[in-house]
Amino acid sequence: MKKVTLIATATMGLEALVAREVKSLGYEDVQVENGKVLFTADVSAIARANLWIRTADRIKVKVGEFKAFTFDELFEKTKAITWSDYIPVDAEFPVIGRSVKSKLFSVSDCQAIVKKAVVDSMKKTYKTTWFQETGALYRIEVALHKDVATLTLDASGIGLHKRGYRSLHNQAPLKETMAAAMVMLTTWNSSRPFVDPFCGSGTIPIEAAMIGQNIAPGFNRDFAAENWSWIDKSIWNQAREEVEDLAKYDEPIDITGTDIDHRSVELAANNAIEAGFGDLIKFKQMQVKDFSHRSDYGVIVGNPPYGERLGEKEQVEHMYREMGEQFAKFDTWSVYMLTSNEDFEQLYGKKASKKRKLYNGNIKTDFYQFFGPRPPKVSE
């Protein structure tokens, strides 16, 4: 199996960022669609994409795609795929599904039909009538969209936002993938100070540290495809060696996370230790109105409270006003804030240089970007 078509799934609004990451890995055959990025590459891309892509939710291997208006069509076309090329005789192969704007709308029926078709296909190759399913996991997904069925294998296993460093979190944690996206949508690089004034469990500062030192987001976790029989172990070994070779552990970074809640600060510090940044990221308890920093040309990135809960709105709006007043004193800094509050610019007291629609879970938000001046070039 020389080439595979991979699908990197993405939160709406992040597709272009995921595509940029795919291209940065050296893959050029890239196609962007709603909620996903497709690319064709050799098998080693399964390992490299899982290890390196910061903003995708999962990496899937596309096994087949066809129109299916009836259950018979779905069964026969699924059965026609040589599933034994992908799934060994002892594999565990559950089927999950979803259906949007399709005649075959019963997901449970589609799952059962695909499962039966895969079993029938594999029976021919393996000359058996029963599959124990005690081996490695090969999770199949049947996704129907406008009567087109796409069959994939999930190469990631646990979602890619699970980096492995955040065993503890606060009530409404920001996904690691979204935190990484927020950092990547800024002008920040490791030569500038970085501050998150609403750090919560520390996700944004930790993701910034990983980006600043070029540490692969998947370096500290396992993936389902590591146990797949048709991917040689040497591919994963080489991919992990590349991760180690390209990491810049000695790159100096100036990253701070603050929060009004002392429990969040403690939680964030513990998560940073788990991620290997215990000595590199500073955390402290602080109200946003007390923000201060000695440096110029820094970058502030935050996911403040949105004021959507009962009784919070007035308090949050007051805090937005205080934030605007305090940050106005740091006119050489760039500020980036994610919130669902549509009056944010008015409350903050300044019109954003740019706005970008993003979804934080199911909440429609805007990423407000206030660009400061470019730092002067340092003469060598």
Side-chain angles (χ1 to χ4, degrees):
M1 196 178 293
K2 289 179 181 176
K3 292 276 184 183
V4 285
T5 297
L6 301 182
I7 300 172
T9 62
T11 301
M12 275 184 65
L14 296 186
E15 297 93 342
L17 205 50
V18 172
R20 193 173 94 192
E21 290 200 81
V22 170
K23 288 173 185 172
S24 75
L25 288 172
Y27 307 119
E28 294 174 356
D29 184 13
V30 179
Q31 186 182 338
V32 181
E33 296 181 10
N34 282 341
K36 61 186 177 183
V37 174
L38 293 87
F39 60 107
T40 303
D42 59 33
V43 172
S44 67
I46 296 172
R48 296 182 72 232
N50 271 298
L51 284 162
W52 280 106
I53 297 179
R54 299 179 192 279
T55 56
D57 295 324
R58 288 182 183 278
I59 304 298
K60 300 175 181 178
V61 179
K62 185 174 167 184
V63 178
E65 189 169 85
F66 48 79
K67 288 195 172 180
F69 300 98
T70 66
F71 288 130
D72 280 345
E73 268 188 297
L74 180 63
F75 179 82
E76 293 300 336
K77 288 177 179 179
T78 301
K79 185 181 171 182
I81 294 167
T82 312
W83 285 96
S84 57
D85 285 349
Y86 298 92
I87 300 176
V89 68
D90 66 338
E92 180 188 355
F93 55 104
V95 180
I96 61 167
R98 53 194 169 90
S99 179
V100 179
K101 298 179 183 174
S102 297
K103 289 184 173 63
L104 303 180
F105 58 84
S106 170
V107 172
S108 57
D109 285 337
C110 291
Q111 288 173 194
I113 285 162
V114 166
K115 179 76 174 188
K116 188 175 186 310
V118 173
V119 167
D120 279 15
S121 168
M122 287 169 59
K123 275 180 181 176
K124 289 182 184 176
T125 308
Y126 294 124
K127 313 292 185 207
T128 183
T129 56
W130 180 254
F131 294 95
Q132 299 269 357
E133 297 200 44
T134 54
L137 178 65
Y138 295 73
R139 190 173 70 167
I140 300 167
E141 181 183 61
V142 51
L144 286 140
H145 183 248
K146 294 182 179 176
D147 301 311
V148 174
T150 305
L151 293 164
T152 58
L153 286 172
D154 177 10
S156 298
I158 299 168
L160 294 180
H161 70 283
K162 299 272 190 176
R163 312 288 206 220
Y165 63 75
R166 196 170 70 177
S167 54
L168 300 166
H169 53 74
N170 51 14
Q171 282 185 326
L174 185 75
K175 269 190 175 180
E176 292 88 330
T177 42
M178 178 58 76
M182 288 168 66
V183 177
M184 292 169 74
L185 288 169
T186 74
T187 54
W188 180 74
N189 61 56
S190 59
S191 69
R192 300 170 73 177
F194 181 100
V195 178
D196 174 6
F198 308 97
C199 71
S201 56
T203 311
I204 293 174
I206 292 169
E207 290 296 319
M210 293 175 80
I211 290 166
Q213 293 195 332
N214 200 37
I215 294 170
F219 84 103
N220 196 30
R221 54 158 289 177
D222 301 320
F223 305 95
E226 286 187 75
N227 298 311
W228 289 1
S229 58
W230 49 274
I231 305 179
D232 197 277
K233 294 289 183 195
S234 64
I235 284 173
W236 285 96
N237 292 338
Q238 285 166 14
R240 289 193 180 276
E241 279 174 25
E242 180 188 38
V243 163
E244 278 299 312
D245 290 345
L246 295 178
K248 299 174 181 173
Y249 296 118
D250 297 328
E251 182 75 19
I253 47 176
D254 179 356
I255 297 176
T256 305
T258 69
D259 202 285
I260 194 170
D261 180 19
H262 71 91
R263 290 165 300 183
S264 290
V265 171
E266 194 176 316
L267 189 62
N270 287 334
N271 285 335
I273 291 166
E274 191 65 32
F277 298 114
D279 298 328
L280 293 169
I281 305 174
K282 300 180 285 291
F283 290 103
K284 53 187 170 184
Q285 184 180 4
M286 183 189 288
Q287 294 185 64
V288 71
K289 68 177 183 179
D290 297 325
F291 172 78
S292 65
H293 206 287
R294 293 177 188 170
S295 302
D296 294 327
Y297 304 103
V299 172
I300 297 169
V301 181
N303 178 42
Y306 301 165
E308 295 196 330
R309 293 179 190 162
L310 282 173
E312 270 189 2
K313 193 177 180 196
E314 280 186 28
Q315 189 181 351
V316 164
E317 289 184 349
H318 178 66
M319 183 264 291
Y320 286 171
R321 289 190 189 95
E322 288 184 331
M323 189 201 315
E325 289 167 14
Q326 191 65 12
F327 290 172
K329 300 170 188 174
F330 296 83
D331 56 358
T332 58
W333 284 57
S334 295
V335 178
Y336 302 82
M337 288 289 148
L338 185 74
T339 177
S340 64
N341 191 311
E342 292 179 358
D343 298 324
F344 179 75
E345 285 168 303
Q346 187 183 339
L347 295 161
Y348 185 78
K350 187 178 179 182
K351 188 169 174 57
S353 312
K354 195 175 176 184
K355 269 195 320 188
R356 186 178 181 129
K357 278 191 169 42
L358 296 176
Y359 281 84
N360 182 6
N362 295 321
I363 303 171
K364 184 180 170 185
T365 62
D366 282 298
F367 192 46
Y368 293 90
Q369 304 168 58
F370 302 88
F371 302 144
R374 287 179 180 230
K377 287 187 179 179
V378 180
S379 55
E380 293 184 14

